[in-house]
Amino acid sequence: AFRSEKSLFLLEDCAQSPLGKVEGRRFGQWGDYAMTSLPKFFSVQEGGLLTSIHGRIDATTYAPGIRREMKSWVNLAEVAMQWGRNPPRQSWAQWNARRKGGSVNTMPPEVELAATVSDPESLYEMTDETITRGVTRATKYIVEHSDLNAIAAKRRDNYAYFLESSRGWKQARAIFPELPDGTVPFMFPLELKMPAAQFPALKARGVPFYRWEHKHPLFHPAICPVGARYATSVIQLPVHQSLNDEEAERISHTLFELLR
């Protein structure tokens, strides 16, 4: 109503919440335009989505090219087989591990950013090429054939599992101890009580997690003490839809051993 009264445009940033709902309507369906990041909720490695309630958006995009198209399929297949998401996973993973002189991974991969980044914006530099280049057919196929309701349900189930498990983790606390209806989580944020000691211990045990470590000026203790504390004390556990029950249980058990 305020938007209409003032003749304004409402832009929805749904980068980390494309599947959530409020009052029965999905995020992205309220504003004039909405944007979201595809890799955060789909099993793809590229791309974003721009939608509008005013109809189809006419934008000029350029095809990725045959080499990029082929590489996209190969990369997706390689990652899927490496982490046991395809039938030939075991033989391929063992062969690849022997080729590299290592062993087969049993935990989902850990994701970490460098701890010293002077300018966070430099990580997301946009150029005319990246803005106008279309996504590959592999990405389109996966997104268009994904079951949004199933994705939302599995992410909620994984979050609920970690939330219940966290009651036994005395040396950490769940940032959000409730999961409201309509909320589809991007990850499970957990605050460590003794991050200096617990962070390397979790890494050593192979627990997959992510920590936002950008040295942004707003994280200075004098400006925002909570942000400064969260920058080093909060880790993000995965709740993505491909995380199966066995993996979630293994993560939970390891956290219990280290944080009880």
Side-chain angles (χ1 to χ4, degrees):
F2 178 83
R3 174 192 63 185
S4 299
E5 178 185 349
K6 303 297 182 180
S7 298
L8 301 174
F9 279 101
L10 176 61
L11 308 180
E12 285 191 76
D13 179 0
C14 301
Q16 296 175 324
S17 58
L19 304 182
K21 293 181 179 180
V22 61
E23 298 182 8
R25 188 189 298 182
R26 196 180 299 280
F27 296 156
Q29 297 179 341
W30 293 83
D32 295 275
Y33 295 91
M35 299 148 284
T36 193
S37 172
L38 297 180
K40 290 182 174 65
F41 277 76
F42 298 93
S43 300
V44 298
Q45 300 173 329
E46 61 168 351
L49 183 67
L50 174 65
T51 63
S52 172
I53 62 173
H54 301 293
R56 182 176 179 83
I57 300 174
D58 292 324
T60 301
T61 57
Y62 300 94
I66 185 63
R67 182 176 180 180
R68 185 174 178 84
E69 292 280 8
M70 295 179 63
K71 183 173 173 52
S72 178
W73 284 110
V74 171
N75 289 346
L76 288 171
E78 185 178 53
V79 172
M81 288 188 289
Q82 181 180 3
W83 298 108
R85 297 306 190 261
N86 278 334
R89 61 185 183 274
Q90 192 64 19
S91 58
W92 185 93
Q94 290 175 341
W95 174 84
N96 196 45
R98 288 196 299 269
R99 181 175 65 86
K100 296 181 178 180
S103 58
V104 177
N105 290 307
T106 57
M107 272 285 197
E110 173 188 331
V111 182
E112 179 187 4
L113 287 181
T116 55
V117 179
S118 57
D119 180 13
E121 297 301 324
S122 65
L123 294 175
Y124 311 107
E125 181 180 357
M126 302 297 290
T127 65
D128 289 342
E129 179 187 2
T130 58
I131 292 174
T132 58
R133 184 179 61 209
V135 296
T136 60
R137 289 182 175 85
T139 293
K140 284 185 177 181
Y141 180 87
I142 290 174
V143 173
E144 291 174 355
H145 289 78
S146 294
D147 186 332
L148 301 187
N149 291 328
I151 291 175
K154 182 58 176 174
R155 282 179 172 266
R156 286 181 57 86
D157 286 347
N158 285 336
Y159 190 99
Y161 175 77
F162 283 134
L163 185 58
E164 180 62 28
S165 300
S166 68
R167 305 185 196 284
W169 306 339
K170 305 302 182 183
Q171 299 303 313
R173 74 175 183 93
I175 298 294
F176 296 98
E178 296 181 359
L179 184 61
D181 292 339
T183 299
V184 181
F186 169 51
M187 48 77 183
F188 184 87
L190 184 72
E191 183 178 16
L192 305 176
K193 290 188 176 181
M194 298 181 291
Q198 294 166 331
F199 181 72
L202 291 170
K203 287 186 64 176
R205 291 292 297 272
V207 176
F209 64 87
Y210 173 89
R211 183 169 72 166
W212 190 257
E213 297 181 318
H214 293 319
K215 304 304 180 182
H216 195 281
L218 293 180
F219 286 176
H220 193 282
I223 299 176
C224 183
V226 175
R229 186 178 85 246
Y230 278 8
T232 56
S233 66
V234 174
I235 62 173
Q236 304 174 19
L237 298 179
V239 298
H240 55 80
Q241 58 273 14
S242 64
L243 186 72
N244 60 44
D245 294 343
E246 180 183 355
E247 292 167 338
E249 182 178 354
R250 190 158 63 247
I251 293 171
S252 176
H253 180 73
T254 303
L255 287 169
F256 175 76
E257 290 181 336
L258 295 175
L259 304 176
R260 60 185 174 182

